[in-house]
Amino acid sequence: MKAELVLATGNLHKVKEIKEILGKTSYEILSALDFDLPEIDEDQDSLQGNSFKKAGIVATTIKKPAIADDTGLFVDALDGQPGIFAARYAGEGCSFADNRAKMLRELAGETNRKAYFATVITLCDADGKIVGQCEGRMKGKIALEEKGTRGFGYDNIFIPDGYDKTFSELSSEQKNEISHRKEALKKISPIIEKYFENLDL
């Protein structure tokens, strides 16, 4: 029987993306969608804090190791906003479309459109203790208008450095090669593997 790792997210887009990036593993990947879990309030003041809180609560609730990510979008001309509040930039209960529309309004006429995504991923053991925590970043800029239909969040207004297309216009393979989540997962993947190896000792 394979060891099990739980992704502390109920976001189908994110689950699919993480599974694609991790590829074939020695452990089985489950997600919060496979369990009846409480809603977790992301009330910490950093990506690190939110990531740890989510992974810790899920791990201790179901008694299995868990990983959780927290992602922020930091825009130079907006003094780093929306940062950790990227998911609710346009207010509580807002949609991805609301967030994108607000950002494009805020940046209307702005020439400095530099921005970067940052993702922090935390691995917690079944007792909720941190085993590893890693960060990935991806630099780019905010587009003048929405383009593309793939992806989610801010993907169709974010143009990665070195590209002339938005994240949403790229294939999932292209996206997974350069994404902030890919970088963070690449860093934490050997930590996960080592953790499960040690469990077998």
Side-chain angles (χ1 to χ4, degrees):
M1 181 178 173
K2 273 190 173 183
E4 296 174 335
L5 175 71
V6 182
L7 309 182
T9 180
N11 184 318
L12 279 170
H13 294 287
K14 196 177 286 186
V15 171
K16 180 176 181 290
E17 186 176 314
I18 292 174
K19 284 185 175 182
E20 285 178 352
I21 292 172
L22 286 176
K24 188 176 181 180
T25 63
S26 64
Y27 48 88
E28 184 178 354
I29 300 174
L30 306 175
S31 79
L33 295 167
D34 298 307
F35 303 91
D36 183 21
L37 294 168
E39 190 73 26
I40 299 173
D41 187 15
E42 298 179 28
D43 57 1
Q44 303 302 295
D45 61 3
S46 67
L47 298 177
Q48 289 82 0
N50 281 326
S51 175
F52 169 48
K53 181 179 181 181
K54 289 186 285 186
I57 289 176
V58 169
T60 54
T61 300
I62 61 178
K63 299 301 178 186
K64 295 179 184 292
I67 64 168
D69 78 297
D70 197 43
T71 297
L73 175 60
F74 302 82
V75 182
D76 282 11
L78 299 178
D79 297 322
Q81 292 185 51
I84 64 171
F85 303 107
R88 49 191 185 277
Y89 183 44
E92 293 297 330
C94 64
S95 67
F96 290 146
D98 294 333
N99 288 330
R100 295 191 299 268
K102 178 179 179 180
M103 182 164 292
L104 291 177
R105 287 196 305 271
E106 296 278 330
L107 291 175
E110 176 60 58
T111 55
N112 176 13
R113 306 183 76 86
K114 289 182 180 179
Y116 70 89
F117 276 112
T119 290
V120 171
I121 295 180
T122 303
L123 167 65
C124 283
D125 64 18
D127 295 321
K129 296 177 182 177
I130 293 180
V131 177
Q133 188 172 74
C134 301
E135 179 178 326
R137 291 191 179 193
M138 180 177 60
K139 295 180 180 179
K141 62 183 178 181
I142 303 301
L144 295 173
E145 60 184 0
E146 295 194 17
K147 289 184 178 180
T149 57
R150 300 186 185 97
F152 60 100
Y154 294 87
D155 286 359
N156 56 2
I157 63 170
F158 184 85
I159 301 173
D161 279 356
Y163 290 78
D164 57 5
K165 294 181 178 180
T166 68
F167 223 31
S168 193
E169 293 178 286
L170 302 179
S171 68
S172 60
E173 291 79 16
Q174 288 175 305
K175 179 179 174 180
N176 289 344
E177 276 302 309
I178 63 172
S179 80
H180 42 295
R181 192 167 288 116
K182 161 73 178 290
E183 185 181 341
L185 283 168
K186 187 176 180 181
K187 290 177 180 177
I188 206 162
S189 181
I191 297 174
I192 298 172
E193 291 287 354
K194 186 174 181 180
Y195 168 74
F196 282 121
E197 284 174 10
N198 289 338
L199 283 184
D200 293 335
L201 296 178

